Amino acid sequence: VPKGRADVAMLQGEGRITFLYAGALGTLQGLEHVVHAAAAAHARDPRIQAVLMGAGTERNALAALAAAVAPDAVRVLPGVPMA
């Protein structure tokens, strides 16, 4: 669930191409590769973005990596609790 205006603005917008991963943010998922791929794709086409949503041992590291290499291309959001 987006928490702030920046998150909502990133998820909205006509013509955006958004890739969403929702699940565990752990070592085994290898999501650092998604961050780097999204950065490269966004450099070629600024409409492309990725959203990683979830919780796990690598959440903070992924958020830091995204902020460093792909601040306009990747958002790391908290997971949604199961009801």
Side-chain angles (χ1 to χ4, degrees):
V1 174
K3 297 290 183 186
R5 289 185 176 268
D7 290 334
V8 172
M10 181 184 188
L11 297 174
Q12 296 175 337
E14 189 173 323
R16 290 205 185 260
I17 302 166
T18 303
F19 295 90
L20 170 67
Y21 171 86
L25 304 179
T27 304
L28 294 177
Q29 286 71 36
L31 295 170
E32 67 277 4
H33 301 293
V34 173
V35 173
H36 289 289
H42 184 79
R44 292 180 62 115
D45 185 341
R47 297 175 304 156
I48 296 173
Q49 61 186 359
V51 176
L52 307 178
M53 181 180 287
T57 59
E58 295 300 305
R59 186 183 187 290
N60 291 338
L62 287 166
L65 178 63
V69 303
D72 296 326
V74 179
R75 278 285 183 268
V76 180
L77 302 177
V80 177
M82 297 175 77

